[in-house]
């Protein structure tokens, strides 16, 4: 019929609903009311509609609740991590563990058994034994605190929904269809089983003849066989292609080549188990694919906005008596987002003043601050030499600017990037400072020019809003602690991209392919530790303890990823798997399994060749000699060749021309260690100063020589120490 609104369809995620409605439209060929589609989490929330005690708790509030409970009921857990920011990683892990206990309906009796064993002592650090011993108390008090606040964690929400399932009527739905079921938590399983036993739900599974322990368990739970139908005779096996490359760039190039040969990109998917390859991939294929839908999270930590906050946090962390460590100070001011702020006229003005400050602190512009390890913003703002040098450069660029405007520009940069944080003492004030800086980047910076930056800004605004609403937002905290809380929150954020999920080439993460079929499947980074991506060890509680509680997360996660990978390629006609073959990695066990199946099917080895990707370089023929101008000839005639300059010329004449004729050189970066060039400079200067008076004669190691040697060594060491202070190194 045209009205399917009385049917509820529940998938593992939200994406399949779009494809379902498209297929229904093709079948019905007329307007229709679509079925109500839910993800499993959305369906559980629907079951709890009307319950005012089930507002989702924010991640920061959940962690702060656990911190407060641990401080009151298990202070031993805070040893060495007394502040909230130091305990925050532990709190996140504890909150996740409690959610797992709730989802799997682990009883207090089971936790009591673990507590008794912990009192005897597992072979783990004392802090871990303390956590195990107090786990049941933490869980009980955490649930109580959530109920008092009228909030729910994900695990508690499922637990409450499961308890409510027996009395559910759901009159708004004629039928419930659960699709593509695989691994079910204990609470999920009981909710679905109640509805199935009352003949309200239809359950749809996808499996093959392989060994899947999950399906065996589900078959027992639902008292029904979950055997697949016979494989159709003559069913064609997908054509498998393996491609290997030494790095991400080669992998992306190979994917581009595969995509360029696709007849119908709309029936293909590129799967990225690791989101770090998203930007290189999209950059490569955007020119050859007219429509591309990118739907996977990109880590905020890989954005320039995150790096700016990271540098600001480091600058304040290294501050001493109101002075900033020069290296950290310059990292903030030379950041690309900072240099392109249009505070006065155009971004070029900001870039000039920033680089002149850098030259001042490096000693390239003679001022009293040259070579300083720590510097106060007010000291820099008082340097007339800085403003004269900046004005001279701007004049050469044709930018008319009154010199008196430059101090105001520098003061504004100090105020916006450093000064405002010094007055912050609460999470609410910190959130306000973050929002003001983001507003400045939007209004005066180049963030609007890049769509990715806009999406990152949106996520950072969301984290700032969460800080402002947090239960501890009014508590007085140290600035370093506020930065640690904020940066920890950012590390868990991902940016989503917009696109049309029903058109063009799909670029998805592995779990986003659930229940979807494609003719051509291309998977990148099919390497161990990436696919499957599992934690080899648990950060808090030993794996044997979790297994005793029924939480074998490592094996479960591996089986989930293996299932979705195998299900996806089983429905494809062509499969291209691309992996990194460098010495640091090895290809995934999933590839080895597919190769074994192919070789067993064919009865021979080597049935799937590996296509290796390489960089192709074409060396041009020897160029014609370039005529030298009179100025160049004059310079070379009086040039004193050193071994380094001769080696440079033999390696690359063009590099010699740039370095010794044009006098071009790379800007030195601030480093932590002394490099070989600095050591060489030190030794050569000592040898020159000590042995220059002996030119043309045999040196005599006498008192006069010693009197000349040691002062020269101290003098050169002092000057080299000054050079090292420029680079942030320790001499």
């Amino acid at each position: 019929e045209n009205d399917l609104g009385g049917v509820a369809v529940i998938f593992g995620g939200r994406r399949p609903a779009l494809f379902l409605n498209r297929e229904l439209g093709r079948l019905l060929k007329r307007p229709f009311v679509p079925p109500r589609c839910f993800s499993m989490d959305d369906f559980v929330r629907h079951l709890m509609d009307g319950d005012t005690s089930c507002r989702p708790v924010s991640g920061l509030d959940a962690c702060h609740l656990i911190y407060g409970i641990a401080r009151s009921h298990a202070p031993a857990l805070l040893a060495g991590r007394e502040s909230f920011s130091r305990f925050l990683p532990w709190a996140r892990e504890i909150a996740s563990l409690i959610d797992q206990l709730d989802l799997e309906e682990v009883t207090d009796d089971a936790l009591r058994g673990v507590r008794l064993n912990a009192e005897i002592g597992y072979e783990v650090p004392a802090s871990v034994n303390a956590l195990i011993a107090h786990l049941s108390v933490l869980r009980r008090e955490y649930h109580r605190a959530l109920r008092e606040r009228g909030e729910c964690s994900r695990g508690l929400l499922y637990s409450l929904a499961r308890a409510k399932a027996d009395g559910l009527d759901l009159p708004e739905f004629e039928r419930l269809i659960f699709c593509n079921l695989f691994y079910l938590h204990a609470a999920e399983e009981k909710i679905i089983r109640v509805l199935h036993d009352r003949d309200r739900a239809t359950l749809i599974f996808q499996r093959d003849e392989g060994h899947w322990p999950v399906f065996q368990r589900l078959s027992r739970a639902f008292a029904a066989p979950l055997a697949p139908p016979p494989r159709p005779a003559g069913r064609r096996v997908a054509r498998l292609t393996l491609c290997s490359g030494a790095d991400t760039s080669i992998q992306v190039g190979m994917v581009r080549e595969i995509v360029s040969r696709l007849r119908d990109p709309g029936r293909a998917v590129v799967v990225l188990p690791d989101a770090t390859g998203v930007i290189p991939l999209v950059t490569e294929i955007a020119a050859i694919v007219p429509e591309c839908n990118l739907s996977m999270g990109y880590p905020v930590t890989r954005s320039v906005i995150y790096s700016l906050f990271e540098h600001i946090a480091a600058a304040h962390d290294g501050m001493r008596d109101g002075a900033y460590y020069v290296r950290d100070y310059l990292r903030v001011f030379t950041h690309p987002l900072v240099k392109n702020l249009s505070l006065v006229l155009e971004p070029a003005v900001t870039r000039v003043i920033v680089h002149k400050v850098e030259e001042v602190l490096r000693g390239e512009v003679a001022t009293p601050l040259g070579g300083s390890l720590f510097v106060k913003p007010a000291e820099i703002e008082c340097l007339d030499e800085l403003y004269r040098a900046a004005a001279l450069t701007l004049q050469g660029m044709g930018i008319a600017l009154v010199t008196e405007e430059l101090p105001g520009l520098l003061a504004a940069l100090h105020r916006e990037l450093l000064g405002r944080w010094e007055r912050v003492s609460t999470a609410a004030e910190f959130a306000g400072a973050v929002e003001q800086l983001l507003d400045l980047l939007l209004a005066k910076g180049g963030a609007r020019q890049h769509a990715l930056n806009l999406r990152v800004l949106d996520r950072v605004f969301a984290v700032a809003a969460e800080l402002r609403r947090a239960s501890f937002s009014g508590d007085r905290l140290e600035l370093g602690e506020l930065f640690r809380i904020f940066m920890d929150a950012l590390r868990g954020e991902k940016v989503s991209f917009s696109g049309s999920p029903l058109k063009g080439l799909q670029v998805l993460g592995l779990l986003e392919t659930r229940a979807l079929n494609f003719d051509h499947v291309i998977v990148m980074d099919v390497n161990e530790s990436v696919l499957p991506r599992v934690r080899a060890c648990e950060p808090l509680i030993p794996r044997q303890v979790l297994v005793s509680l029924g939480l074998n997360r490592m094996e479960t996660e591996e089986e989930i990823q293996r299932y979705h990978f195998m299900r996806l390629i089983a429905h494809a006609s062509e499969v291209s798997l691309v992996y990194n073959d460098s010495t640091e990695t090895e290809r995934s066990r999933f590839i080895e399994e597919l190769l074994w199946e192919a070789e067993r099917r064919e009865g021979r080895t080597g049935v799937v060749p590996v296509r290796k990707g390489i960089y192709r370089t074409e060396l041009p023929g020897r160029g014609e000699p370039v005529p030298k101008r009179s100025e160049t000839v004059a310079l070379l005639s009086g040039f004193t060749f050193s071994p380094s300059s001769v080696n440079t010329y033999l390696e690359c004449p063009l590099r010699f021309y740039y370095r010794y004729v044009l006098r071009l050189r790379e800007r030195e970066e601030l480093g932590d260690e002394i490099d070989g060039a600095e050591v060489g400079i030190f030794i050569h200067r000592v040898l020159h100063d000590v042995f220059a008076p002996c030119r043309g004669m045999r040196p005599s190691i006498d008192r006069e020589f010693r009197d000349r040697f040691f002062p020269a060594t101290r003098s050169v060491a002092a000057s080299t120490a000054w050079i090292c202070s420029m680079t942030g190194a320790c001499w």
Side-chain angles (χ1 to χ4, degrees), residues 71-96:
R71 191 166 54 180
S72 301
H73 295 83
L77 296 180
L78 302 182
R81 52 185 78 86
E82 287 76 12
S83 67
F84 174 50
S85 65
R86 299 293 184 189
F87 188 73
L88 184 54
W90 265 56
R92 289 195 187 279
E93 289 292 338
I94 293 171
S96 174

Side-chain angles (χ1 to χ4, degrees), residues 58-112:
S58 76
L60 283 176
D61 276 354
C63 292
H64 196 260
L65 282 175
I66 289 174
Y67 171 68
I69 294 166
R71 191 166 54 180
S72 301
H73 295 83
L77 296 180
L78 302 182
R81 52 185 78 86
E82 287 76 12
S83 67
F84 174 50
S85 65
R86 299 293 184 189
F87 188 73
L88 184 54
W90 265 56
R92 289 195 187 279
E93 289 292 338
I94 293 171
S96 174
L97 176 59
I98 292 175
D99 270 352
Q100 289 294 317
L101 295 173
D102 293 340
L103 289 167
E104 298 297 350
E105 298 195 321
V106 177
T107 64
D108 287 339
D109 289 340
L111 289 178
R112 273 194 290 272

Side-chain angles (χ1 to χ4, degrees), residues 657-691:
Y657 176 71
Y658 287 151
R659 181 173 179 180
Y660 295 103
V661 177
L662 297 184
R663 301 288 184 179
L664 299 178
R665 62 183 178 86
E666 294 182 11
R667 180 179 293 276
E668 294 181 357
E669 297 295 332
L670 299 179
D672 291 322
E673 298 180 359
I674 303 168
D675 61 19
E678 290 163 351
V679 174
I681 290 172
F682 171 77
I683 293 174
H684 280 287
R685 289 186 61 185
V686 168
L687 294 176
H688 177 272
D689 292 352
V690 171
F691 289 99

Side-chain angles (χ1 to χ4, degrees), residues 5-295:
V7 178
V9 186
I10 300 95
F11 294 100
R14 295 174 180 173
R15 175 170 297 276
L18 302 169
F19 289 81
L20 171 64
N21 288 331
R22 182 181 68 177
E23 294 303 315
L24 288 172
R26 289 176 177 174
L27 289 170
L28 295 174
K29 296 182 174 62
R30 60 179 181 268
F32 67 98
V33 177
R36 292 281 302 278
C37 293
F38 300 91
S39 68
M40 193 62 195
D41 283 354
D42 291 338
F43 179 69
V44 170
R45 291 190 193 95
H46 179 78
L47 297 183
M48 299 302 293
D49 271 355
D51 191 331
T52 58
S53 65
C54 287
R55 289 183 293 107
V57 64
S58 76
L60 283 176
D61 276 354
C63 292
H64 196 260
L65 282 175
I66 289 174
Y67 171 68
I69 294 166
R71 191 166 54 180
S72 301
H73 295 83
L77 296 180
L78 302 182
R81 52 185 78 86
E82 287 76 12
S83 67
F84 174 50
S85 65
R86 299 293 184 189
F87 188 73
L88 184 54
W90 265 56
R92 289 195 187 279
E93 289 292 338
I94 293 171
S96 174
L97 176 59
I98 292 175
D99 270 352
Q100 289 294 317
L101 295 173
D102 293 340
L103 289 167
E104 298 297 350
E105 298 195 321
V106 177
T107 64
D108 287 339
D109 289 340
L111 289 178
R112 273 194 290 272
V114 171
R115 178 177 59 81
L116 293 175
N117 287 330
E119 290 175 356
I120 298 173
Y122 285 103
E123 293 295 327
V124 294
S127 59
V128 174
N129 271 326
L131 172 59
I132 297 171
H134 292 93
L135 193 54
S136 58
V137 175
L138 290 171
R139 181 191 187 188
R140 183 179 66 250
E141 292 300 316
Y142 179 53
H143 286 169
R144 183 185 61 77
L146 287 174
R147 291 193 190 98
E148 288 178 356
R149 292 162 56 96
E151 295 177 333
C152 267
S153 63
R154 180 171 180 261
L156 183 57
L157 180 69
Y158 271 81
S159 182
L160 295 175
R162 202 280 307 164
K164 190 178 178 181
D166 292 332
L168 287 176
D169 189 23
L170 298 177
E172 66 271 31
F173 299 123
E174 302 170 21
R175 196 71 182 166
L176 299 155
I177 304 175
F178 291 87
C179 298
N180 195 220
L181 297 178
F182 184 60
Y183 177 78
L184 297 175
H185 297 293
E188 288 178 280
E189 183 183 306
K190 290 183 179 179
I191 293 170
I192 296 173
R193 193 168 62 204
V194 166
L195 296 169
H196 179 259
D197 291 345
R198 289 161 55 185
D199 197 27
R200 296 296 311 281
T202 299
L203 314 184
I204 298 177
F205 299 85
Q206 286 183 279
R207 66 162 296 185
D208 59 11
E209 301 88 345
H211 177 67
W212 298 101
V214 168
F215 284 124
Q216 296 173 7
R217 183 171 62 81
L218 291 176
S219 181
R220 293 191 299 269
F222 292 104
L226 297 180
R231 182 185 291 270
R235 181 179 181 272
R236 187 163 60 90
V237 178
R239 187 163 67 92
L240 177 63
T241 303
L242 296 182
C243 305
S244 68
D247 55 29
T248 300
S249 298
I250 295 180
Q251 288 192 67
V252 166
M254 301 186 80
V255 171
R256 183 186 191 279
E257 185 179 342
I258 296 169
V259 169
S260 67
R261 298 196 301 265
L262 293 176
R263 291 189 296 272
D264 183 7
R267 294 294 305 157
V269 62
V270 178
V271 180
L272 286 178
D274 186 357
T276 57
V278 169
I279 301 303
L281 174 67
V282 174
T283 303
E284 278 291 321
I285 66 176
I288 62 173
V289 179
E291 291 180 310
C292 176
N293 174 59
L294 178 60
S295 178

